[in-house]
Amino acid sequence: MASNPDQLHETPGYHHITVVEAGRTAYLAGQCPLDPDGSLVGSGSLDAQIDQVAANALAALTAVGAQPQHVVRSVIYVCSDDTDVLGAAWRRLTGSVIGPAFTTASTLLGVTQLGFGGQLVEVDLTASLPE
């Protein structure tokens, strides 16, 4: 169950609180913009990298029998300190194949560097697996 207490600010689509009843949980490693061979996709293109991250995240969720709507927590890392770039990344992710994943508790962070050279985005997801 996701909720936004009246005492907290409005959000651009996510919820402040997500409550999960007891059950199985999947913690996905940070999903990176790498193809199946481990090569970086979309060098210099945040949009292309977001699309690859979304595809990778969907594949990982599917592998454990989950879908984006089963995500209960997300953390998005973007290599930028520009709020316009961060906002654009948020909008592209929420409009992607994993868009429903970002309606629950979510955090968006601007960072200086990620693990792979040229990497601009990474998404960390936690899902409550369906029974």
Side-chain angles (χ1 to χ4, degrees):
M1 177 183 80
S3 66
N4 287 323
D6 292 337
Q7 300 84 350
L8 298 177
H9 65 85
E10 289 187 31
T11 68
Y14 65 90
H15 287 84
H16 285 285
I17 300 167
T18 303
V19 176
V20 178
E21 299 298 324
R24 294 182 335 130
T25 305
Y27 299 88
L28 278 60
Q31 297 300 296
C32 301
L34 303 179
D35 66 17
D37 294 325
S39 298
L40 182 73
V41 171
S43 181
S45 172
L46 181 59
D47 286 349
Q49 289 193 15
I50 287 171
D51 294 347
Q52 185 66 49
V53 164
N56 292 350
L58 184 59
L61 288 168
T62 301
V64 294
Q67 293 297 313
Q69 64 268 23
H70 298 120
V71 170
V72 296
R73 175 86 173 114
S74 63
V75 181
I76 304 158
Y77 303 91
V78 179
C79 281
S80 181
D81 64 356
D82 183 326
T83 56
D84 290 337
V85 171
L86 296 174
W90 173 258
R91 287 186 296 279
R92 188 155 187 106
L93 279 166
T94 59
S96 76
V97 295
I98 59 167
F102 306 105
T103 61
T104 59
S106 189
T107 300
L108 172 63
L109 300 168
V111 298
T112 57
Q113 187 168 344
L114 290 163
F116 294 96
Q119 181 181 356
L120 302 174
V121 63
E122 187 165 331
V123 174
D124 179 3
L125 302 175
T126 303
S128 176
L129 299 179
E131 298 291 324

